[in-house]
Amino acid sequence: MPVASPYAARLAAIPVERKTLELPTGPAAYWVYGDAAAPLTLLMVHGYRGDHHGLEPVVAHLDGVRVISPDLPGFGETPPLRAAGKGAEGAAAEHTLDAYADWLTAFAAAVAPGAPILGHSFGSIVVAAAVAGELETPRVILVNPIGAPALEGPRGILTRLAVFYYWAGARLPKALGDALLRNRVIVRVMSASMAKTRDKTLRAFIHDQHDRYFSLFGDRDALHEGFVTSVSNDVRRFAPQIAQPTLLIAAEKDDITPIEAERHLQTLFPDAELVEIPGVGHLIHYETPQQAASAITRFLRPSDADTR
């Protein structure tokens, strides 16, 4: 039975519409939250193995902002990438960082041209790569940014085990591989390792979210390719090329990128601000969405803050 969201009441007050965009690499499912007449639109990109649902607690606290949130290729309701021009039954395309960045650039140009953009976790790498390339945006927001190689982080050994896990899931016979990758015990271990809150109700909600959405990936090959992409890249590579004002929202207890690495990441951008949230880890979007939304709103509306 689904666990009630602590943010359900706020989210229920926001109009939402599901849409589909046809791209050369296949259909893209996305959700539009808020009033079409809102003065500001923000494009949000979720992290690895998640989908648009993960960022909804942040959406719930962004008053007066229209949000467009797609499911990345291979996750949620967006199918894995196909070779351009091959259609739904065409040959599968490899899920490299360039492929994700090109997909995001095309998506943004079609549905949110010129909008500020936000990326969480793996989404921070995709956003950074796209903005350093051809994606046009006035401001960049990275939440729990991957600011250092995952294999060198405080849980480097666990990351190496995860590399083997996803490799095995892709190589085993299909039934066994799918069962391994969708195993509820393993998903729960992942969820418990990331959650830092001691609030039992919030922890139950986080675990329920991961139970419901972590296994909605398109196929095991895309999942494996996405994981390899996620651990083979980080935001540092692209930071010097991002001239736009950038907001980094980092967590004091993030096990994937230590806060010291996030502080160093800030220095690599030409124009970046770092907001540190204490007592939280890699799940800012679930555990402290109000704090994140407050920082985002101030960053997107600097003139509002100046008049207070």
Side-chain angles (χ1 to χ4, degrees):
M1 181 176 180
V3 176
S5 167
Y7 316 110
R10 294 185 64 92
L11 197 61
I14 302 172
V16 58
E17 181 180 5
R18 183 199 182 281
K19 297 187 176 184
T20 301
L21 172 69
E22 291 295 332
L23 292 171
T25 52
Y30 68 102
W31 285 256
V32 181
Y33 301 86
D35 190 341
L40 184 63
T41 295
L42 175 64
L43 178 58
M44 284 188 168
V45 182
H46 65 79
Y48 179 74
R49 268 195 91 152
D51 64 12
H52 70 282
H53 289 97
L55 293 171
E56 285 189 334
V58 179
V59 174
H61 291 88
L62 288 174
D63 296 330
V65 178
R66 178 174 175 258
V67 173
I68 297 178
S69 185
D71 285 348
L72 284 172
F75 299 102
E77 296 184 29
T78 298
L81 294 168
R82 297 291 172 183
K86 299 297 183 180
E89 303 302 323
E94 188 176 359
H95 293 72
T96 63
L97 182 55
D98 285 344
Y100 283 115
D102 289 346
W103 180 92
L104 180 58
T105 299
F107 178 84
V111 304
I117 189 166
L118 177 153
H120 172 256
S121 188
F122 174 56
S124 73
I125 304 175
V126 176
V127 166
V131 174
E134 298 181 356
L135 193 154
E136 296 183 2
T137 180
R139 287 179 176 253
V140 179
I141 302 164
L142 306 179
V143 181
N144 287 124
I146 307 301
L151 293 172
E152 298 176 12
R155 295 196 174 187
I157 294 177
L158 291 179
T159 301
R160 285 176 170 82
L161 289 175
V163 170
F164 175 76
Y165 166 72
Y166 286 107
W167 175 86
R171 295 296 180 268
L172 286 170
K174 187 176 189 309
L176 290 176
D178 281 347
L180 175 66
L181 293 170
R182 301 179 198 275
N183 184 278
R184 291 178 66 87
V185 174
I186 295 176
V187 169
R188 179 56 57 89
V189 169
M190 294 179 187
S191 183
S193 70
M194 291 187 288
K196 303 301 180 186
T197 180
R198 296 183 179 181
D199 184 311
K200 292 182 179 180
T201 301
L202 182 55
R203 285 185 73 90
F205 168 68
I206 291 169
H207 295 333
D208 179 67
Q209 289 284 289
H210 288 146
D211 287 346
R212 293 170 67 186
Y213 303 120
F214 246 42
S215 295
L216 296 183
F217 51 86
D219 63 50
R220 59 190 185 145
D221 290 330
L223 185 69
H224 177 241
E225 291 168 359
F227 182 75
V228 171
T229 295
S230 73
V231 299
S232 302
N233 298 277
D234 62 76
V235 175
R236 295 177 309 170
R237 169 184 165 194
F238 306 103
Q241 305 168 53
I242 299 175
Q244 294 92 332
T246 300
L247 173 64
L248 308 177
I249 304 179
E252 177 190 34
K253 296 183 177 181
D254 198 329
D255 293 318
I256 295 178
T257 301
I259 194 63
E260 294 80 8
E262 302 286 32
R263 292 166 183 162
H264 175 66
L265 177 64
Q266 178 192 11
T267 69
L268 302 181
F269 286 87
D271 181 7
E273 172 190 354
L274 174 64
V275 171
E276 300 180 16
I277 301 182
V280 67
H282 202 65
L283 302 181
I284 283 175
H285 57 310
Y286 282 138
E287 296 189 34
T288 56
Q290 184 173 7
Q291 292 94 315
S294 177
I296 291 166
T297 301
R298 176 187 52 77
F299 178 71
L300 294 178
R301 297 170 172 161
S303 59
D304 290 357
D306 292 343
T307 60
R308 291 192 182 104

Short mmCIF file of all heavy atoms in Angstrom, two decimals, residues 111-139:
data_model
loop_
_atom_site.label_atom_id
_atom_site.label_comp_id
_atom_site.label_asym_id
_atom_site.label_seq_id
_atom_site.Cartn_x
_atom_site.Cartn_y
_atom_site.Cartn_z
N VAL A 111 10.39 22.39 -25.79
CA VAL A 111 9.33 22.64 -24.81
C VAL A 111 9.62 23.78 -23.84
O VAL A 111 8.69 24.32 -23.24
CB VAL A 111 9.01 21.37 -24.00
CG1 VAL A 111 8.65 20.21 -24.91
CG2 VAL A 111 10.17 20.98 -23.10
N ALA A 112 10.90 24.15 -23.67
CA ALA A 112 11.23 25.20 -22.70
C ALA A 112 12.43 26.01 -23.16
O ALA A 112 13.43 26.14 -22.43
CB ALA A 112 11.51 24.58 -21.33
N PRO A 113 12.36 26.58 -24.36
CA PRO A 113 13.53 27.33 -24.86
C PRO A 113 13.83 28.53 -23.97
O PRO A 113 12.95 29.30 -23.61
CB PRO A 113 13.08 27.76 -26.26
CG PRO A 113 11.58 27.73 -26.21
CD PRO A 113 11.23 26.61 -25.29
N GLY A 114 15.09 28.66 -23.58
CA GLY A 114 15.51 29.80 -22.78
C GLY A 114 15.15 29.73 -21.32
O GLY A 114 15.35 30.71 -20.58
N ALA A 115 14.64 28.61 -20.84
CA ALA A 115 14.26 28.50 -19.44
C ALA A 115 15.46 28.14 -18.58
O ALA A 115 16.39 27.46 -19.04
CB ALA A 115 13.19 27.43 -19.26
N PRO A 116 15.50 28.58 -17.32
CA PRO A 116 16.51 28.07 -16.40
C PRO A 116 16.37 26.57 -16.27
O PRO A 116 15.29 26.02 -16.47
CB PRO A 116 16.17 28.78 -15.07
CG PRO A 116 15.31 29.93 -15.45
CD PRO A 116 14.57 29.52 -16.68
N ILE A 117 17.46 25.89 -15.90
CA ILE A 117 17.43 24.43 -15.85
C ILE A 117 18.04 23.92 -14.55
O ILE A 117 19.01 24.49 -14.04
CB ILE A 117 18.15 23.83 -17.08
CG1 ILE A 117 17.94 22.32 -17.16
CG2 ILE A 117 19.63 24.19 -17.09
CD1 ILE A 117 18.32 21.72 -18.49
N LEU A 118 17.45 22.85 -14.03
CA LEU A 118 17.90 22.23 -12.79
C LEU A 118 18.18 20.75 -13.04
O LEU A 118 17.40 20.08 -13.71
CB LEU A 118 16.84 22.39 -11.71
CG LEU A 118 17.06 21.75 -10.34
CD1 LEU A 118 16.30 22.54 -9.26
CD2 LEU A 118 16.61 20.28 -10.29
N GLY A 119 19.27 20.25 -12.47
CA GLY A 119 19.57 18.83 -12.54
C GLY A 119 19.91 18.30 -11.17
O GLY A 119 20.64 18.93 -10.41
N HIS A 120 19.36 17.13 -10.83
CA HIS A 120 19.67 16.49 -9.55
C HIS A 120 20.54 15.27 -9.77
O HIS A 120 20.26 14.44 -10.64
CB HIS A 120 18.38 16.07 -8.84
CG HIS A 120 18.65 15.23 -7.62
ND1 HIS A 120 18.47 13.86 -7.60
CD2 HIS A 120 19.11 15.57 -6.39
CE1 HIS A 120 18.81 13.39 -6.41
NE2 HIS A 120 19.20 14.39 -5.66
N SER A 121 21.63 15.15 -8.99
CA SER A 121 22.48 13.96 -9.00
C SER A 121 22.97 13.65 -10.42
O SER A 121 23.64 14.47 -11.03
CB SER A 121 21.73 12.78 -8.37
OG SER A 121 22.57 11.67 -8.20
N PHE A 122 22.64 12.47 -10.95
CA PHE A 122 23.02 12.16 -12.33
C PHE A 122 22.52 13.23 -13.29
O PHE A 122 23.19 13.57 -14.26
CB PHE A 122 22.47 10.78 -12.72
CG PHE A 122 22.68 10.42 -14.17
CD1 PHE A 122 23.95 10.43 -14.73
CD2 PHE A 122 21.61 10.07 -14.96
CE1 PHE A 122 24.13 10.09 -16.07
CE2 PHE A 122 21.78 9.72 -16.29
CZ PHE A 122 23.05 9.73 -16.85
N GLY A 123 21.34 13.77 -12.98
CA GLY A 123 20.82 14.86 -13.81
C GLY A 123 21.73 16.07 -13.81
O GLY A 123 21.75 16.85 -14.77
N SER A 124 22.52 16.26 -12.74
CA SER A 124 23.46 17.38 -12.70
C SER A 124 24.55 17.20 -13.75
O SER A 124 25.02 18.18 -14.35
CB SER A 124 24.07 17.54 -11.30
OG SER A 124 25.02 16.52 -11.03
N ILE A 125 24.97 15.97 -13.99
CA ILE A 125 25.99 15.70 -15.01
C ILE A 125 25.41 15.94 -16.40
O ILE A 125 26.04 16.58 -17.25
CB ILE A 125 26.51 14.25 -14.90
CG1 ILE A 125 27.04 13.96 -13.50
CG2 ILE A 125 27.60 14.01 -15.93
CD1 ILE A 125 27.45 12.50 -13.30
N VAL A 126 24.20 15.43 -16.63
CA VAL A 126 23.56 15.61 -17.93
C VAL A 126 23.33 17.09 -18.23
O VAL A 126 23.62 17.57 -19.33
CB VAL A 126 22.23 14.83 -17.99
CG1 VAL A 126 21.51 15.08 -19.31
CG2 VAL A 126 22.48 13.33 -17.80
N VAL A 127 22.83 17.81 -17.23
CA VAL A 127 22.58 19.25 -17.41
C VAL A 127 23.89 19.98 -17.68
O VAL A 127 23.98 20.81 -18.60
CB VAL A 127 21.87 19.83 -16.18
CG1 VAL A 127 21.94 21.36 -16.19
CG2 VAL A 127 20.43 19.36 -16.13
N ALA A 128 24.92 19.69 -16.89
CA ALA A 128 26.21 20.37 -17.08
C ALA A 128 26.78 20.10 -18.46
O ALA A 128 27.28 21.02 -19.13
CB ALA A 128 27.19 19.93 -16.00
N ALA A 129 26.70 18.87 -18.92
CA ALA A 129 27.22 18.53 -20.25
C ALA A 129 26.43 19.25 -21.33
O ALA A 129 27.01 19.77 -22.30
CB ALA A 129 27.15 17.02 -20.46
N ALA A 130 25.10 19.31 -21.18
CA ALA A 130 24.27 19.96 -22.18
C ALA A 130 24.51 21.47 -22.23
O ALA A 130 24.62 22.07 -23.30
CB ALA A 130 22.79 19.67 -21.91
N VAL A 131 24.61 22.10 -21.04
CA VAL A 131 24.82 23.55 -20.99
C VAL A 131 26.22 23.91 -21.50
O VAL A 131 26.41 24.93 -22.18
CB VAL A 131 24.60 24.08 -19.56
CG1 VAL A 131 24.96 25.57 -19.47
CG2 VAL A 131 23.15 23.87 -19.14
N ALA A 132 27.20 23.09 -21.20
CA ALA A 132 28.55 23.32 -21.72
C ALA A 132 28.59 23.14 -23.23
O ALA A 132 29.51 23.64 -23.90
CB ALA A 132 29.54 22.37 -21.06
N GLY A 133 27.59 22.43 -23.77
CA GLY A 133 27.48 22.25 -25.21
C GLY A 133 26.62 23.33 -25.84
O GLY A 133 26.99 24.49 -25.87
N GLU A 134 25.42 22.92 -26.28
CA GLU A 134 24.60 23.85 -27.06
C GLU A 134 23.28 24.25 -26.39
O GLU A 134 22.51 25.01 -26.97
CB GLU A 134 24.29 23.23 -28.43
CG GLU A 134 25.55 22.97 -29.27
CD GLU A 134 25.22 22.38 -30.61
OE1 GLU A 134 24.03 22.09 -30.86
OE2 GLU A 134 26.14 22.20 -31.43
N LEU A 135 23.00 23.75 -25.19
CA LEU A 135 21.74 24.10 -24.56
C LEU A 135 21.79 25.53 -24.04
O LEU A 135 22.68 25.88 -23.27
CB LEU A 135 21.43 23.13 -23.40
CG LEU A 135 20.01 23.17 -22.83
CD1 LEU A 135 19.66 21.83 -22.19
CD2 LEU A 135 19.84 24.28 -21.79
N GLU A 136 20.83 26.33 -24.47
CA GLU A 136 20.79 27.74 -24.08
C GLU A 136 19.90 27.92 -22.85
O GLU A 136 18.75 27.50 -22.84
CB GLU A 136 20.28 28.59 -25.23
CG GLU A 136 21.20 28.56 -26.46
CD GLU A 136 20.71 29.48 -27.56
OE1 GLU A 136 19.68 30.16 -27.35
OE2 GLU A 136 21.36 29.51 -28.62
N THR A 137 20.46 28.53 -21.82
CA THR A 137 19.72 28.76 -20.58
C THR A 137 20.35 29.94 -19.86
O THR A 137 21.57 30.14 -19.94
CB THR A 137 19.74 27.52 -19.67
OG1 THR A 137 19.00 27.78 -18.48
CG2 THR A 137 21.15 27.14 -19.28
N PRO A 138 19.55 30.75 -19.16
CA PRO A 138 20.13 31.90 -18.45
C PRO A 138 20.74 31.57 -17.10
O PRO A 138 21.63 32.26 -16.63
CB PRO A 138 18.94 32.84 -18.29
CG PRO A 138 17.76 31.92 -18.21
CD PRO A 138 18.09 30.77 -19.12
N ARG A 139 20.25 30.49 -16.46
CA ARG A 139 20.72 30.13 -15.12
C ARG A 139 20.69 28.62 -14.95
O ARG A 139 19.83 27.93 -15.50
CB ARG A 139 19.88 30.79 -14.03
CG ARG A 139 20.15 32.30 -13.91
CD ARG A 139 19.30 32.97 -12.85
NE ARG A 139 19.70 34.37 -12.75
CZ ARG A 139 20.41 34.89 -11.75
NH1 ARG A 139 20.75 34.13 -10.73
NH2 ARG A 139 20.76 36.15 -11.74
#
